[in-house]
Amino acid sequence: MIGAPGETLMHAMNPAQLEAAEHVHGPMLVLAGAGSGKTRVLTARIAALIDRHGVPPERIFAVTFTNKAAGEMKARIGRLLQRDPTGLWIGTFHSLSARLLRREAELLGFTRQFTIYDEDDRLSLVKRLLDQRGHSTKLFPPRAVTSIISAAKNRMTPPAELIGSSPFDRLAQVSADVYSALGPALRAANAMDFDDLLLHPLSLFREHPDRLRAYQERFRFVLVDEFQDTNRAQYALIRYLGAHGHVFAVGDDDQSIYGWRGADVRNMQEFLRDFDGARMVRLEENYRSTQTVLDAANGVITENSGRIGKTLVTRRLGGEQITLLAAADERDEAEWVVRELQRRSEAGDWGFQDMAVLYRTNAQSRALEEAFRRAGVPYRLVGATSFYDRREVKDLLAYLRLIANPSDDEAFLRAVGVPRRGLGETSVAGLIRAAAGWHKPLLASAAQAEGLTDLRPNVRDAFQKFAQFIERLAGAAGRLAPVEVLEQVIRGIDYEACLHAEGPEGADRWENVRELVAGAAEWSEVVPADGEDGGTPLERFLAEAALLSSTDSVTGREEGVTLMTLHTAKGLEWSVVVLTGLEHGLFPLARAEEQPDGLEEERRLCYVGLTRAKDKLYITWARARRRGGELRPGIPSKFLAALPAAIVEERRTSSLWAPDWSSTAGRRGANGLSARDMASASRMGSRAALRAAQPPPEAEASQDSPRFVKGERVRHRRFGTGTIQGLTGAGRDTKVQVNFDDAEVGVKQLLVAYAGLEREIEGA
C-alpha cells in the first residue's frame, strides 16, 4: 500500500484535487489553473491506480511534454509507491512513439534500426531534394520549405492537400512537391524525422487494426499532461489509444501559448465532445500567488472568448499592489527595473535569485543585460544566447570591426562568409595562403585577388567585390555615426533577405538585428566631436560593444536575477516578477492581430507571465522604444486596460518625457486615450484604428523635412528641456546642438533621426 507520505499527500488535497486523483474509470478532463498542483494530482493518480486498484505499471501510458518532467514524475511516483514503477510507459509523445515504432517498424517498411533525423539532417535532405527536383534554393530557401512541411505534417495535411490549399503561393507549391518526395527519400534511408514519429503510429493503426487493438488492450489507462499544447496528430494518437475511454487529460486552455508550432487549444473542447460521458474537474485553488496577482491575471484572461472558463482563487489574501511603471524608453525602463530590484534586495525583501524579468521577444534582453552589467547586479540569462553572442549580431559586428580595422583577419574571415558569395573553405584557404606569402592582411590580399591564379575567375571577382565594399564604407566611416555605418552594411549585403530566407528562425534573428541598430542609435544620440581617448565614433562604439560582449563576472550567476522570454518562463515561478514592454505592437505583437486567434494567444501568454509571480508583480511600458533603429512612440498595451484599478499602483520614472498614465480622469495613456477609449479602439482590431483616435505623433513626421529651427525650445526624454543652438546636415543626417537647462547635462549634439526630440509646449 501507499506509505505514509502518500497518505499525507492525499489527505492534504483540496476536494477538487482529491476528486481528480481518485478517479479511476472513464474519461476525465482536469482543467488545472496555474499553480493549482496538477503535478501532484497526476502523480497521485498514477500511484493510486498501481497500488490501490492493482493496475500493472506496464498498462499505463503517461505523456508529458519534456523528458525532464517525465523523469521527475516517475521519481515522485516511485517515492509514493516506495518502489520503482517498472514497466510504466512515461515520456514525451516523441519518445513514447519512437519506443512503439521500434517494435512495429517492419510493418511500415522500416527496420527496427531506423535512424531518427534531427533538424540539420532533415534540412540537408530537403536541400538535396530541392536541387534534384530543379528548384532554386535561393528562391525557395530550404529552412522555409522545411517549416511549411513540418506545419503540414502536424496538421496531418498530405502533400496533395497542401498543393490545393495554396494554388497561387509558389513557395507552398514547391514545398508540397518536396513534401511528396520526402517520405520516399526517408524510407529509402531507413529514417524518420521528428514529425514522422507522430504520424507513423497513426498509419500503423489505420493499416493494421489488429495492432491498434493490441495497444488499446495493453494501455488500459492513458494520461496526458499539458493537454492544451497537443497538436492535431498528437490528439489523434490519444483518440486511437484511448478509444476505450479511460483517458485522463490535464491542461489549462488559458495557458495554451504554442499555436505557432502547431498546438491547438481546441483539442480541450473537442475532448469533451469526442469522449462520451467525459467528466470535468476544475482546479481553481492557486497555491502560488497572492490574491492581488490572481485578480490581475483573472482580469486579463476573462477577455478571451471561447474559454472553458475558471477563476483562480487563493488563501493568500491581499498582497502588495501591482506596480505599473511608465518609462521614457527601453533604457530608462531597464535602468529603473535594475534600481528597483536592487532596492528591494538591499531592503531584505527578497534575494536576487527570487526575482525574474520577463519579456515578449529575445531582442528586448539587450537593454536589460546592459543595465544589469552597468549596475553590477548579478543576473542569469535563461533560454537564449546573450545578445552580443548571437550569430547575427556577431556577423554584423565583424563587418564593423573590419571597416574600422582593415587588418583584422578574424573579422574578415567571419564577414566574408555572410552571405556566402560562393566562397567556400577551399577558396578562403587559398586566400589565406596567398596573404601569408604576400605578408599582407586578408582584406588587402582580397583586393588584389586577380593575382590568385589558382582560383576560379568568379571566386577572384567575389573577393575583390567584397574588398571594394569594405573599402568604400571605411572611407566614409570617419564622418558617419556608427548606426549609419551599420545601416549601410545591412543594406549592402541585403541581410534582411538573407535572414528571412532561413524561415521563422530567421525572422527572430532579424528582430535582433533591428535591436542592434536600436542600440547603435541609442549610442549615437550623443555624438561628441572627439572622445576622451580619441578615435572615430565607430571605433569607440566597437570598444564599448566588445566590453559588453566579453564574459562578465556577474553573468550566469545562480544567485542572480533571471532574465527570460515569457514562453521560456512557462511552468516556473518566482517571488518577484517584472513583466516588461507592455506596449501595443510589442505585447501583443502587431502581427498577432493579423492571424486567427493570434490576439487570444498573446493574451494567454500575458496570463502565463502574470501567474509566475508569487508575491510581487511589476509591469512596465515605455513611452517610446527603438524598433529597427528608429524611436517610435509607444501606446500602452490593451492588456493593461483589463487590470482592476484598485490593485494597481501607478508610477513613472523621473524623466520629464515619461507620461502619467494614471489619473482621476480615467487612466490616460501616452496617447491621451483613457483605458476605456483604448479598449474600444483596440476592439476595432488594427493599429490604424488606434492611430485614428489621436493626432499623428511628431516622431512619425517625415525625417526629410525641416523640423527644428535655431532658438527653438525642445524636450528630450532623459536630458529634459533645452534650446537649440545650431543645426547641421539634412534629412536623416540632421544633427542639432542643444543647450540643456540642466547644467550637469550642458550642451549636447544629437542626431535628430534617433533623439526623439519634442517641441516644448508653452505652459505644459
Side-chain angles (χ1 to χ4, degrees):
M1 294 296 291
I2 294 177
E7 293 296 337
T8 301
L9 179 66
M10 283 289 194
H11 291 159
M13 288 183 174
N14 64 45
Q17 289 176 326
L18 199 60
E19 180 183 356
E22 293 187 336
H23 176 74
V24 180
H25 299 291
M28 173 173 280
L29 176 64
V30 179
L31 195 62
S36 62
K38 69 178 178 65
T39 303
R40 180 167 54 168
V41 168
L42 271 167
T43 53
R45 180 175 188 255
I46 293 174
L49 286 175
I50 295 170
D51 194 81
R52 294 182 178 177
H53 303 287
V55 178
E58 62 270 18
R59 305 199 73 178
I60 298 174
F61 186 92
V63 185
T64 64
F65 264 75
T66 66
N67 288 311
K68 180 182 178 182
E72 292 174 350
M73 195 174 296
K74 186 175 182 181
R76 290 179 68 169
I77 294 167
R79 287 194 296 271
L80 287 174
L81 295 172
Q82 298 182 358
R83 66 181 186 276
D84 185 60
T86 305
L88 173 68
W89 279 46
I90 184 169
T92 64
F93 273 104
H94 290 94
S95 65
L96 294 178
S97 294
R99 186 175 175 182
L100 185 153
L101 288 168
R102 292 288 179 199
R103 301 175 174 218
E104 310 292 344
E106 287 87 351
L107 293 176
L108 293 168
F110 297 87
T111 72
R112 294 191 178 192
Q113 292 73 42
F114 65 83
T115 300
I116 299 175
Y117 275 11
D118 63 16
E119 289 304 307
D120 287 340
D121 295 327
R122 179 167 66 174
L123 186 65
S124 177
L125 177 55
V126 165
K127 184 179 180 183
R128 181 155 52 86
L129 291 173
L130 281 164
D131 289 335
Q132 289 176 356
R133 302 176 82 80
H135 302 305
S136 167
T137 55
K138 290 185 177 179
L139 293 176
F140 308 106
R143 287 187 185 276
V145 171
T146 300
S147 178
I148 290 172
I149 293 173
S150 181
K153 284 187 172 186
N154 285 331
R155 296 191 307 268
M156 299 187 296
T157 302
E161 189 175 325
L162 181 59
I163 292 174
S165 65
S166 304
F168 304 109
D169 184 339
R170 185 58 181 153
L171 177 60
Q173 296 292 300
V174 169
S175 299
D177 182 47
V178 173
Y179 183 10
S180 65
L182 182 61
L186 285 166
R187 197 178 301 273
N190 193 35
M192 302 181 191
D193 64 22
F194 272 41
D195 297 323
D196 290 334
L197 294 179
L198 302 178
L199 293 177
H200 284 321
L202 303 182
S203 299
L204 173 73
F205 295 152
R206 282 195 303 268
E207 298 167 9
H208 301 277
D210 58 318
R211 301 312 302 147
L212 172 59
R213 287 191 295 272
Y215 281 105
Q216 288 171 341
E217 181 62 29
R218 165 73 184 271
F219 300 121
R220 296 302 296 167
F221 294 89
V222 177
L223 300 92
V224 189
D225 192 13
E226 303 287 2
F227 190 67
Q228 76 279 353
D229 293 329
T230 53
N231 61 34
R232 302 306 291 173
Q234 290 164 339
Y235 182 52
L237 181 60
I238 293 303
R239 288 194 63 187
Y240 270 127
L241 290 177
H244 45 60
H246 305 316
V247 181
F248 188 83
V250 182
D252 183 0
D253 56 341
D254 290 334
Q255 294 190 72
S256 179
I257 59 174
Y258 295 114
W260 50 276
R261 68 183 191 193
D264 194 337
V265 68
R266 293 174 299 182
N267 290 345
M268 293 195 71
Q269 293 187 339
E270 290 189 12
F271 180 94
L272 297 173
R273 293 195 296 267
D274 294 339
F275 289 90
D276 291 338
R279 295 169 57 192
M280 183 168 66
V281 174
R282 289 179 170 86
L283 302 185
E284 297 178 298
E285 183 170 353
N286 176 283
Y287 292 90
R288 173 189 301 155
S289 308
T290 66
Q291 189 62 54
T292 299
V293 170
L294 297 187
D295 287 345
N298 288 332
V300 168
I301 200 62
T302 51
E303 298 202 351
N304 266 7
S305 60
R307 300 171 61 229
I308 296 176
K310 66 179 180 310
T311 301
L312 293 181
V313 296
T314 181
R315 299 179 189 181
R316 298 188 62 201
L317 302 180
E320 280 197 30
Q321 282 189 302
I322 294 164
T323 298
L324 177 60
L325 176 81
D329 60 10
E330 71 275 9
R331 180 166 181 166
D332 190 38
E333 173 189 58
E335 289 174 346
W336 186 92
V337 167
V338 173
R339 286 195 305 270
E340 177 67 7
L341 297 185
Q342 196 169 25
R343 181 184 72 81
R344 299 305 297 259
S345 175
E346 291 172 352
D349 298 335
W350 298 282
F352 288 131
Q353 71 275 10
D354 299 318
M355 303 173 177
V357 181
L358 309 180
Y359 35 83
R360 178 62 183 86
T361 66
N362 272 314
Q364 289 170 257
S365 74
R366 194 262 316 167
L368 290 162
E369 286 183 76
E370 292 179 5
F372 275 98
R373 289 185 180 188
R374 282 193 298 267
V377 173
Y379 73 94
R380 60 193 188 106
L381 193 69
V382 178
T385 305
S386 179
F387 183 81
Y388 284 97
D389 289 335
R390 290 169 186 158
R391 186 193 81 200
E392 58 278 11
V393 173
K394 292 173 77 73
D395 286 346
L396 293 174
L397 288 178
Y399 269 95
L400 297 187
R401 285 167 48 202
L402 189 58
I403 290 166
N405 176 16
S407 298
D408 189 337
D409 284 353
E410 290 304 315
F412 176 94
L413 289 172
R414 185 170 191 115
V416 78
V418 182
R420 297 298 299 177
R421 299 184 174 86
L423 299 174
E425 293 181 7
T426 302
S427 302
V428 173
L431 179 68
I432 292 173
R433 287 193 300 271
W438 294 343
H439 303 291
K440 290 183 176 181
L442 292 175
L443 182 64
S445 301
Q448 300 176 359
E450 71 275 3
L452 302 174
T453 54
D454 57 335
L455 297 182
R456 297 191 308 276
N458 64 309
V459 171
R460 296 198 298 267
D461 184 57
F463 274 131
Q464 286 186 300
K465 286 183 177 177
F466 174 75
Q468 290 164 4
F469 175 65
I470 297 297
E471 290 167 357
R472 186 168 62 253
L473 289 178
R479 64 176 185 275
L480 297 177
V483 66
E484 296 171 287
V485 182
L486 181 59
E487 287 179 327
Q488 289 195 25
V489 169
I490 293 168
R491 288 195 299 269
I493 64 174
D494 199 9
Y495 201 39
E496 181 177 6
C498 291
L499 292 178
H500 281 302
E502 297 181 7
E505 182 183 338
D508 291 338
R509 292 190 183 278
W510 175 243
E511 285 301 311
N512 291 331
V513 169
R514 289 161 59 86
E515 185 60 24
L516 178 64
V517 174
E522 180 179 280
W523 190 95
S524 297
E525 277 188 337
V526 181
V527 190
D530 296 293
E532 293 180 4
D533 52 357
T536 66
L538 179 60
E539 290 166 347
R540 299 201 303 278
F541 171 75
L542 286 170
E544 186 171 317
L547 291 173
L548 286 168
S549 60
S550 63
T551 302
D552 194 288
S553 61
V554 303
T555 303
R557 284 167 52 176
E558 284 299 316
E559 70 272 22
V561 178
T562 299
L563 308 183
M564 64 169 58
T565 64
L566 284 150
H567 280 99
T568 310
K570 187 168 181 287
L572 303 176
E573 62 181 39
W574 297 269
S575 296
V576 180
V577 168
V578 185
L579 203 54
T580 61
L582 268 289
E583 296 129 43
H584 184 73
L586 179 59
F587 194 20
L589 291 176
R591 66 173 180 262
E593 297 194 58
E594 301 170 2
Q595 302 165 347
D597 303 322
L599 183 59
E600 297 223 339
E601 180 153 322
E602 290 286 295
R603 191 175 282 113
R604 292 194 291 269
L605 188 58
C606 183
Y607 173 83
V608 166
L610 296 172
T611 53
R612 298 311 94 196
K614 293 195 288 187
D615 303 317
K616 175 65 179 179
L617 183 62
Y618 293 92
I619 303 175
T620 69
W621 70 282
R623 167 77 182 269
R625 192 176 297 269
R626 289 179 182 81
R627 305 287 300 276
E630 293 185 359
L631 196 67
R632 300 184 182 180
I635 298 174
S637 169
K638 62 184 67 181
F639 299 157
L640 298 180
L643 298 175
I647 64 171
V648 177
E649 169 211 13
E650 300 175 22
R651 297 174 63 182
R652 60 176 178 169
T653 61
S654 58
S655 166
L656 291 174
W657 213 64
D660 186 354
W661 190 61
S662 66
S663 76
T664 54
R667 287 169 127 191
R668 298 203 165 264
N671 49 7
L673 295 175
S674 70
R676 180 180 299 174
D677 295 334
M678 264 174 34
S680 176
S682 299
R683 283 193 292 271
M684 295 169 67
S686 71
R687 182 186 296 269
L690 283 165
R691 287 180 173 171
Q694 57 180 326
E698 278 294 329
E700 293 188 359
S702 170
Q703 299 287 358
D704 297 322
S705 59
R707 299 177 58 207
F708 300 108
V709 295
K710 186 176 180 180
E712 188 171 16
R713 294 282 294 171
V714 293
R715 183 190 302 271
H716 186 275
R717 66 193 175 288
R718 286 207 305 275
F719 303 145
T721 55
T723 303
I724 293 179
Q725 290 186 332
L727 297 94
T728 58
R732 290 181 60 83
D733 298 327
T734 302
K735 298 173 185 175
V736 292
Q737 191 176 56
V738 182
N739 184 7
F740 286 98
D741 299 341
D742 187 336
E744 293 186 7
V745 176
V747 178
K748 298 287 186 184
Q749 191 176 37
L750 308 173
L751 278 166
V752 171
Y754 306 110
L757 290 173
E758 284 190 336
R759 291 186 174 86
E760 185 181 18
I761 301 173
E762 291 186 19

